Every structure is written in C-alpha cells, then in structure tokens.
Amino acid sequence: MRGFIPWIVSGCVSAWDWRWGAVAGLVTGLLLFVRERRRQVPADALVLEASSVLFFLVIGVYAFAAPGSPAERWYGVLSFGWLAGTAWGSLAVRHPFTLGIARRQTPEEYWNRPGFVAVNNVITAVWAAGFTFILLALIVCELTGAPGWVGWAARIAGLVAPAVFTKVYPARVRARTAALEARSADTG
C-alpha cells in the first residue's frame, strides 16, 4: 500500500492545483523510493514507486509548461491510465509488478516455482483490472458530467477489491495446494 502514498498526496494537493499536485506526488514518490533503496529494498519490489516517480515527473513538467491545458481536467483519468499501463505492461514483459513485493514476504525457495509466479500474475491482473475499471469509470464521469461521488465510488471499489483479493487469494491457493498434497500423500 506504501506505493500509493504519492498518488494520495497528489490527489489531495491536486484538489487545490494540479501542477502542485504533480510536484507533491513527485517529491513524495522520490522520498519513498530513495528511502526504500537505502533500506536495500530490491528495485523489482519498487516497480510501482519507480513508475509513479516517472508519471509525476512527466505530468509535472507538462503541467507547468501548459498550465491551462485540457489535461488538467483529465488528471485523474491520466493517473489511473498510467497505473493501468504499469500493471498491464508488467504482465506483458512477464514480470508482474507484485512479484518483487511478494518475494520480500516469501522464502526464496518458492520464488522460482511456477505456482508462485502464477499467483502473482493473477494478483497483478486483478490490480490491472481494478485500475482499468477506475480509468473507464472516470472517463464516463468526465464525458457525462456524472456527480463527483460516482468517480469516488469507482476509485474505492477499484482499489479495495484488488487489495482484499491480494490478501485472500494467496492464502486460498496455499490451502488448496496443502489439501492436494495431503490427498496425494494419503493415496500414495
């Protein structure tokens, strides 16, 4: 969840001014990234953080270069588009962004097992789907003038569902695997 802190900070500051929201996200993202690297957190566990820094750098430069740009109106859409692109892109390059995070919490003997990678592919796909859901909902909200609460409801649903899934799914897979191994041992 730490990887979302720059986005939350940016969102809060952006309510006042999107340019400074981008700066706040960039500074927060850089501070978190540097802190984690100093703590010797592997770079592959910081994919989301690195991607966030890049987004806030690009959008921040653009925001100050073109302050009256229509991009201001679409800032939330762009944010979730970037997050969705990060998640889907990590799957496309066959290195789900959750893999490095999971390795920090899992003994090394499991890292190269197909099941471990498969679980992270599924979890990353669920996050990607959540980000994409929010992206599409925000586009619809912008185009239709839907009330602000609709976008917030989409954000909450699109973030809470993957967070809960991330917590529940690996435990279910472990339980299912243990049950299959126990059955296999009984019949063997």
Side-chain angles (χ1 to χ4, degrees):
M1 299 317 290
R2 177 183 56 249
F4 292 114
I5 293 171
W7 299 94
I8 295 167
V9 169
S10 175
C12 291
V13 176
S14 291
W16 170 63
D17 186 312
W18 75 301
R19 296 168 300 174
W20 293 107
V23 171
L26 175 62
V27 170
T28 305
L30 279 171
L31 290 172
L32 284 171
F33 186 83
V34 168
R35 185 189 86 176
E36 294 304 301
R37 290 300 292 153
R38 283 189 177 156
R39 292 175 57 204
Q40 298 183 351
V41 172
D44 73 336
L46 300 171
V47 171
L48 185 60
E49 290 83 350
S51 177
S52 300
V53 167
L54 182 58
F55 172 80
F56 291 121
L57 177 64
V58 170
I59 200 74
V61 167
Y62 180 76
F64 280 95
S69 164
E72 179 177 5
R73 174 181 172 202
W74 296 92
Y75 187 68
V77 170
L78 294 169
S79 298
F80 282 100
W82 187 274
L83 286 168
T86 298
W88 290 119
S90 74
L91 287 169
V93 298
R94 300 167 47 105
H95 190 81
F97 83 89
T98 60
L99 193 59
I101 299 165
R103 285 183 177 149
R104 294 186 63 209
Q105 304 164 359
T106 307
E108 190 172 349
E109 64 200 58
Y110 296 98
W111 292 2
N112 293 319
R113 291 187 181 181
F116 180 72
V117 175
V119 164
N120 280 282
N121 280 326
V122 171
I123 291 171
T124 298
V126 168
W127 277 103
F131 296 145
T132 303
F133 168 77
I134 298 167
L135 167 67
L136 296 174
L138 293 179
I139 289 170
V140 169
C141 287
E142 283 297 326
L143 294 175
T144 64
W149 67 265
V150 175
W152 282 107
R155 285 177 177 97
I156 291 167
L159 294 173
V160 169
V164 170
F165 184 83
T166 299
K167 192 76 171 163
V168 172
Y169 180 68
R172 286 191 178 169
V173 170
R174 281 191 299 273
R176 194 175 325 129
T177 301
L180 286 172
E181 287 173 356
R183 242 185 266 138
S184 188
D186 289 343
T187 60

